Amino acid sequence: MLVAPALGTEGRAGRFGDDLPLTDAELAPARALAAPRADLVLAAPSARCRQSAAALGRYGAGVGAGVCGGALPTEPALAEPALVEPALAGLDAGDWRGRRLDELAATAPESITRWLSDPDFAPPGGESVSALLARVGGWLDALPADTGRLLAVAEPAAVRAAVVHALGLPPAAFWRLDVVPLTLTALSGRAARWNLRCGAPLPPLPPPLLAPVG
C-alpha cells in the first residue's frame, strides 16, 4: 500500500527536490486521516514523507482501515516509527534541485523537453526516469513473500514508478499518471502478477470514544 505524502510548499510551487519540512498547517490533513492496517510501515527519506508517515502512524498504522477493509480505529494509538526506505525516494533532480519547473522551461527548454520525452535523459548530476523505474521496480520485486500488509509513504514519483513496473507499462506511461496527495495506491499479488487499485482516499478518523459519565 503506497500513500503519497501531504502537499507542501515544494509541490505547490512546482519546485524540484527542495525537501522542505511540512508546516503544522500542511500536516493537518494527514492528522485527520486513519492509516490503513499494516504489518510494516515504511517512509521515503524526504522530510515530507517521514512527517506524513508519523502523522498517520500516530493513529495506529497497525489498526486502521484501508483498501482491504480493516476496522476503523476507535481511538488514537501510538505506532512504531516508520522505517526509512531509500528506494522510495523521488526522482533525483541533480543540479535542478531547488529550481522551479516553469523557470527551467524558460531557460533550458530543450532539456525539459528531453526530460519529459526521453526516459534515459537525466538532469545534470541527477537521475533518469529509467533509473528510477529500475530502483523502485527492484525494491518491489525483492519484497519477501511473507512481507504481509506493507504501508509505505512514498514520493509521488516512486508511486508512479511502482505502478509502471508492476503493470509492465512502457516507461512513457510514467508521465501520464497523476498521484494525488494523501491517497492510497494498492498493489496486491506478487512479482510479475500484480493487481492495482489506485487513488483510494484514506478514511477519516472517527470521533474519539467518550468515557461514560457517572
Side-chain angles (χ1 to χ4, degrees), residues 34-112:
R37 180 175 62 81
D39 302 306
L40 176 64
V41 182
L42 304 177
S46 66
R48 65 178 179 173
C49 284
R50 290 184 286 109
Q51 287 178 288
S52 296
L56 292 169
R58 137 177 339 170
Y59 294 103
V63 295
V67 169
C68 295
L72 283 170
T74 55
E75 59 184 1
L78 286 172
E80 292 295 320
L83 300 175
V84 173
E85 176 49 71
L88 298 177
L91 193 66
D92 184 352
D95 292 350
W96 291 357
R97 192 176 296 112
R99 301 184 67 182
R100 291 173 56 104
L101 177 60
D102 57 359
E103 171 197 348
L104 284 165
T107 59
E110 292 183 1
S111 293
I112 291 296

Side-chain angles (χ1 to χ4, degrees), residues 66-160:
V67 169
C68 295
L72 283 170
T74 55
E75 59 184 1
L78 286 172
E80 292 295 320
L83 300 175
V84 173
E85 176 49 71
L88 298 177
L91 193 66
D92 184 352
D95 292 350
W96 291 357
R97 192 176 296 112
R99 301 184 67 182
R100 291 173 56 104
L101 177 60
D102 57 359
E103 171 197 348
L104 284 165
T107 59
E110 292 183 1
S111 293
I112 291 296
T113 298
R114 284 196 61 193
W115 182 62
L116 293 173
S117 60
D118 180 359
D120 295 324
F121 175 81
E127 183 180 33
S128 68
V129 168
S130 294
L132 172 68
L133 293 174
R135 164 161 59 86
V136 176
W139 169 80
L140 193 61
D141 289 344
L143 289 175
D146 61 352
T147 297
R149 293 171 59 88
L150 185 153
L151 171 69
V153 179
E155 289 294 337
V159 177
R160 289 151 65 184

